Each structure stands twice: as structure tokens, then as C-alpha cells.
């Protein structure tokens, strides 16, 4: 079996020396993956997943992901990435991490910070629970099989790594400045299908096209500045989910003077929340 | 005029040497302020404001706050705090920051990380804008003067630093495990009134009591783990706002196995969004 392209993208080679003490950083070498290329760099969700993987692969990592914040500080160029994961503090039930990703600037030879992330991992304990099952939608959610599949032939590489089944709030087909509601819902999974795990879930939280494109059907330059994921799923829910489709929803609250926000929720097929997510996105017009 | 207690709380003494180069860290000494004490440490919003202030006070800071993520890694104890603000990358229109706060552990003498933060500051440019004005509420929002004022006599210190005017979703008066909607709305401002700025806005995003207390009218131990603010207000909106009340709304999407999320929005009196915010909170029962 050849390796799934998502796993190939996630390859991290630990660099000597390995961390000796609990608080020591671990340095990794990674490479951008052509299969997850976006317009001018990797799909942001792939970079987020890679930085999270750098934490999960650290031998001192305790617990499972609880929160992830990724700040996209500068362009990620094709080639080598130097990633350092440092445990900042280890408690009984939570652990706090800083992840920095640098790339060598071709002109200056300098190591430039491209992306930074903070991660909290946690050991979870049973408690009384409550949640909103399923999205608050005016219409019932159709099954994935009954939703039109987005044709990714000839699309940007990373789009072809997913199986997209739109429900509402599709990418506009006419860029005519007409007003649209900014809510999108879709079913999505890796293509080919791959069992859901925390890193894949992180990437899925960033699959939505920019809300500003939908708001008035206009294609403008846009790029995520800061992106956060709260993981509500635990191992058991992910294992039960397997390769099924994820129900994904995104919306925006405000677009103002070059930046808009995005809120997102991901559910499993039973309507149980997997993750909630937020981002602030640059746009230019 | 004596200094406002919020400004007294924000006092940061830069430590020699001052940063010589654009990427150099700046070290500060600060002290916890008794006026913002919560049950077992400072009000988290005050700590968030202080870490943001460490960025804004750095001589190389460019632009105004766009996003802030604060990770509460361990307890903050009364006394000295050592804060380091480091510019990770400076672009034309955005700047990325890492802020670390350490305190000396009395037993081991070791410097322990208490809190970390990442901040993005930005220079903003006019664009076509869109937003949802006012909260989506079933009932009209009454004026602050017509809302009952929360009596803070004898309450925890930090609660007395604010003027609270509840609209809906009040703190339960009977802890009887009865189910409640998790939405709260209130008018709030500093007490005594203080002109709104970015640091005050950051603190205001964290004023809500834990959603789990409301969900089933039960007092359980709870503490924020990770807290994010997206700043949509610019200087002009803050200056126009002055000392007026802020309309604040919080809700939760999911409470599961020891952690719940909180979403929040803050508006000015004209119904224009000031900030949106999210947090993931530990709870125990």
C-alpha cells in the first residue's frame, strides 16, 4: 500500500539531539508536499496539521489535542521547513506547547519565521456533558450521497485531496457582486478516504473558501492570518468515525477594512460536534 | 487625579537592556494588582490585557491589535511577573508577536511559565465592509440605564472594577441543577468609567461567568485554558466610543468531558462590532 498523501505531507524527521529533558525542544526537518499546494503556498490546513503533528510526535507529549492556534506570519515557499516543538509547561492534565516553523530565505540566507503555533494537549475525564447537536439550519441536512460532488478536475492540487459534497453556500458560479448569505455547509472527507484523526480534523477546519468571496460574489485576494481549533472529539469518537464524511459549516460575523472573521463547526454523521474553529483572514480589494 | 486601577494593573517596567534590533525581545517586570483579584489568582482578562500591553509598549510595535491568543498554562500567584515580548516577524502590514510570562516558584526557585500569548498587530486599510449589526436576539435590547445593575458589594475584587447591567442569561440565583439556555447578554464598562482602548477591550472579552454554571445552574470549578480575541474595532471607533457601555454577549456550543467552549461578541452602542472572542474552558464536577 502506498502511503496516503496526507501522511506523506506529515513526514517529520527528528534532528539530533533528541530531547533529553521534559522541557527540551525537538527540532524537525520537513518538506512541503506538492499534493497540498494552494495558489502561492501550501494549503494552510496542511501546515496547521504539520505543526500539530510536531507536538504529537514529541516523545514527551501527554494527552490529546485540546486547542491549536496557528499564526501565518509569512509565505511558505516550496522546499525544506525547520520546525521546533517546545513543551512550555507540563501540568497533571494539560500540557502547553510552542511550535515555530522557519525557512531559509534564498536572498539573505537568513532563517525566517514562516508560521508559529501554540497547542494545548489534555488528558480528559468523564463529566456531565451538553451540546447542540447538528447545525441550526432552516433546512434538513441531506445525506452526503445525495449532495452534488464538487468536480476537482483541473483544480488546485489541495482541492483534489478532498471529496467535497456541497449542501448550501457553494462557491459562486457568477462573480457579479451579488449579495449572498455567508453560511456554507458541506460534507467532506479525505480523497482517497482516510480514517479521521486529530491532524486530519485540524486540516478540515480550514477547508472553507474565503467568506468574502461568498458575501458579494467577488474574487479578491485573501489569506488566513490566525486560525484556531478547539478539539471536542476524543480518540473514541474519531475511531468510531473512521472514514465517514464530516459535516462542516462556516460563516462570518464581520468584514471590515481588510480583515474578516470565520467561525466553523464540524460534526460527525451522528450530529455530534468534532471541533469548533475560528479564523481572522486578510482580504484585499 | 489618581491613576485608574486598570492602568495601575497595566504597569510594566522595561528591564535593561532595551531592544537594539527589530527582532529583539523586551523584558518587563510587572506585579499582580489586588484590585483585579479573582478567586485564586488575577482575573484572566486582566492578565490578557497585560500581555497585550507588553506588545503595544514595545518600541518596535507596528499597527494596532488584530488578534490575541492567551494560553493560561499555570496559576498566577500574587507578586512579581516577568514578561518578555518578542517580535517574531515584521511584515509590511502585519507583525507577529510571542509573549511569555514567568513567575518564580517559591519552592524550587525556578522560573515557571504561567501564561503565554501570541499577538498579531496590523495596519489596516479601507475596504468594502459588511457585518451583522446587533446581536441576533428574540427580544429588543434595552438601554443600559433600563437594565438592573449587578450589586458588587462584597463580591470578588475584580467584579467591583466593572459596572454590570444584565439583559438576559444572568448568574443563576438558585443552584438547583435546573436547565438554562447558555446565552448571556449584558451592558458593561469599567468602574469608574474609563475610555475604551484595545487592552480594555481584550479584558472585556473575558468578563463572562463560566457558561457551565448557567447551563444547569450548578457551581463547579472552572478556568480558562485558551482565550482568543479578534479586534474589529480601530482607533477611530474606540475614540468615538469613549466611556459608553459595551454590549457583550456570550454563549457555548459544547460541554464535553471536562472542557467547554465559549463564543462572545462585543458591540458599541450603535450596534457596530468591536471584537469577537472564543475560549476553551476547563470544568470539574
Amino acid at each position: 500500500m502506498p502511503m496516503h498523501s496526507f501522511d506523506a505531507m506529515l513526514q517529520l524527521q527528528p534532528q539530533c539531539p533528541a530531547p533529553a529533558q521534559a522541557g527540551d525542544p525537538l527540532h524537525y526537518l520537513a518538506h512541503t508536499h506538492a499534493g497540498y499546494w494552494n495558489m502561492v503556498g501550501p494549503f494552510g490546513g496542511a501546515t496547521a496539521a504539520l505543526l500539530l503533528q510536531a507536538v504529537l510526535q514529541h516523545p514527551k507529549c501527554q494527552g490529546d489535542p485540546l486547542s491549536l492556534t496557528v499564526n501565518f506570519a509569512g509565505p511558505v515557499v516550496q522546499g525544506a521547513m525547520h520546525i521546533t516543538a517546545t513543551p512550555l509547561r507540563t501540568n497533571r492534565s494539560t500540557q502547553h506547547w510552542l511550535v515555530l516553523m522557519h525557512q531559509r530565505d534564498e536572498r539573505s540566507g537568513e532563517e525566517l519565521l514562516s508560521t508559529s503555533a501554540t497547542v494545548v494537549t489534555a488528558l480528559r475525564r468523564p463529566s456531565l456533558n451538553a451540546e447542540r447537536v447538528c447545525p441550526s439550519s432552516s433546512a434538513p441536512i441531506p445525506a452526503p450521497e445525495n449532495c452534488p460532488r464538487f468536480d476537482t478536475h483541473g483544480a488546485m492540487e489541495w482541492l483534489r485531496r478532498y471529496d467535497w459534497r456541497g449542501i448550501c453556500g457553494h462557491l459562486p458560479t457568477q462573480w457579479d457582486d451579488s449579495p449572498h448569505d455567508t453560511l456554507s455547509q458541506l460534507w467532506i472527507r479525505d480523497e482517497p478516504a482516510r480514517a479521521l484523526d486529530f491532524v486530519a480534523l485540524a486540516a478540515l477546519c480550514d477547508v472553507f473558501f474565503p467568506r468574502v468571496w461568498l458575501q458579494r460574489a467577488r474574487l479578491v485576494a485573501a489569506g488566513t492570518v490566525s486560525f484556531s481549533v478547539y478539539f471536542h472529539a476524543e480518540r473514541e469518537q474519531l475511531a468510531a468515525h473512521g472514514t465517514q464524511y464530516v459535516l462542516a459549516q462556516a460563516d462570518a460575523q464581520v468584514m471590515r477594512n481588510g480583515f474578516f472573521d470565520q467561525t466553523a463547526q464540524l460534526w460527525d454523521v451522528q450530529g455530534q460536534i468534532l471541533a469548533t474553529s475560528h479564523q481572522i483572514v486578510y482580504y484585499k480589494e
Side-chain angles (χ1 to χ4, degrees), chain A residues 171-178 180 213 216-218:
Chain A
L171 191 70
T173 49
Q174 296 201 308
W175 302 100
D176 57 3
D177 279 17
S178 61
H180 290 71
W213 293 1
R216 59 177 170 281
R218 185 190 295 196

Side-chain angles (χ1 to χ4, degrees), chain A residues 42-282:
Chain A
F43 160 49
T47 304
L50 183 67
L51 299 195
L52 177 59
Q53 179 63 23
V55 168
L56 302 184
Q57 205 170 310
H58 192 293
K60 301 293 182 187
C61 180
Q62 291 181 12
D64 288 325
L66 177 70
S67 75
L68 163 70
T69 294
V70 182
N71 293 311
F72 297 94
V76 179
V77 298
Q78 198 186 340
M81 297 177 279
H82 304 108
I83 297 171
T84 303
T86 306
L88 293 177
R89 180 157 178 157
T90 300
N91 299 313
R92 232 177 351 182
S93 62
T94 59
Q95 194 174 31
H96 287 251
W97 294 84
L98 174 66
V99 190
L100 300 176
M101 193 264 271
H102 290 84
Q103 286 192 305
R104 187 175 299 273
D105 183 50
E106 291 216 346
R107 281 178 300 179
S108 68
E110 210 183 336
E111 288 282 325
L112 281 181
L113 180 98
S114 290
T115 318
S116 73
T118 58
V119 174
V120 182
T121 53
L123 296 162
R124 306 185 72 154
R125 294 183 182 85
S127 68
L128 282 175
N129 300 333
E131 69 183 83
R132 299 188 186 168
V133 292
C134 296
S136 54
S137 179
S138 48
I141 302 291
E145 295 72 28
N146 298 330
C147 297
R149 182 166 182 174
F150 175 39
D151 179 6
T152 58
H153 283 97
M156 283 180 295
E157 274 297 328
W158 80 272
L159 295 170
R160 304 175 63 191
R161 303 287 88 74
Y162 290 101
D163 173 358
W164 310 75
R165 310 276 177 154
I167 300 168
C168 69
H170 307 295
L171 191 70
T173 49
Q174 296 201 308
W175 302 100
D176 57 3
D177 279 17
S178 61
H180 290 71
D181 187 62
T182 52
L183 176 76
S184 290
Q185 293 175 336
L186 68 153
W187 291 102
I188 189 167
R189 66 178 177 188
D190 288 285
E191 173 63 34
R194 176 182 175 278
L196 189 63
D197 56 14
F198 291 106
V199 280
L201 188 55
L204 283 170
C205 287
D206 193 36
V207 295
F208 308 95
F209 61 85
R211 301 293 89 195
V212 68
W213 293 1
L214 191 54
Q215 197 269 327
R216 59 177 170 281
R218 185 190 295 196
L219 262 179
V220 300
T224 303
V225 178
S226 186
F227 165 63
S228 287
V229 178
Y230 296 153
F231 297 89
H232 306 293
E234 292 166 79
R235 275 161 193 259
E236 296 71 21
Q237 188 185 3
L238 295 178
H241 186 86
T243 60
Q244 297 177 91
Y245 288 90
V246 166
L247 177 59
Q249 172 175 286
D251 206 344
Q253 300 178 100
V254 54
M255 305 184 177
R256 198 188 292 169
N257 293 348
F259 296 93
F260 70 86
D261 82 325
Q262 180 190 284
T263 58
Q265 297 86 24
L266 274 69
W267 291 268
D268 65 19
V269 286
Q270 277 79 40
Q272 297 286 307
I273 282 187
L274 291 160
T276 51
S277 177
H278 318 95
Q279 57 181 278
I280 184 109
V281 185
Y282 163 82

